[in-house]
Amino acid sequence: MNPNWRLIPPLEASGAMQMAIDHYLLEQHRQGKHPPTIRFYTWNPPAISLGYHQQEYPADWENLSFQ
């Protein structure tokens, strides 16, 4: 087992971009191309990320506005 981890500096980007980066990093790790990675990020504009098992979100979330 490789004890090395990679730390990626904080990044501010859209929710879609952050999730795409996470997906890419996971696939690269699964293929043995990159070590486990830890990263911290913020979303701009604000976004909500639902977990894999969160199939639905509360109906009142549709009316939220962050602007």
Side-chain angles (χ1 to χ4, degrees), residues 1 7 11 21 27 33 39-40 46 51 56 58 62 64-65:
M1 177 159 67
L7 172 64
L11 172 68
I21 292 169
E27 289 306 313
K33 296 179 180 179
R39 70 189 201 99
F40 299 94
E56 296 183 21
E62 292 181 27
L64 293 177
S65 175

Side-chain angles (χ1 to χ4, degrees), residues 9-38:
L11 172 68
E12 181 178 299
S14 69
M17 177 62 74
Q18 299 291 20
M19 297 301 99
I21 292 169
D22 278 355
H23 180 77
Y24 171 80
L25 293 171
L26 176 61
E27 289 306 313
Q28 293 295 300
H29 177 67
R30 284 183 178 165
Q31 295 173 25
K33 296 179 180 179
H34 292 288
T37 301
I38 186 166

Side-chain angles (χ1 to χ4, degrees), residues 1 6 16 37-38 41 44 47-48 50-51 57:
M1 177 159 67
R6 173 176 47 183
T37 301
I38 186 166
Y41 51 82
N44 189 9
I48 295 174
L50 298 179
Y57 55 86

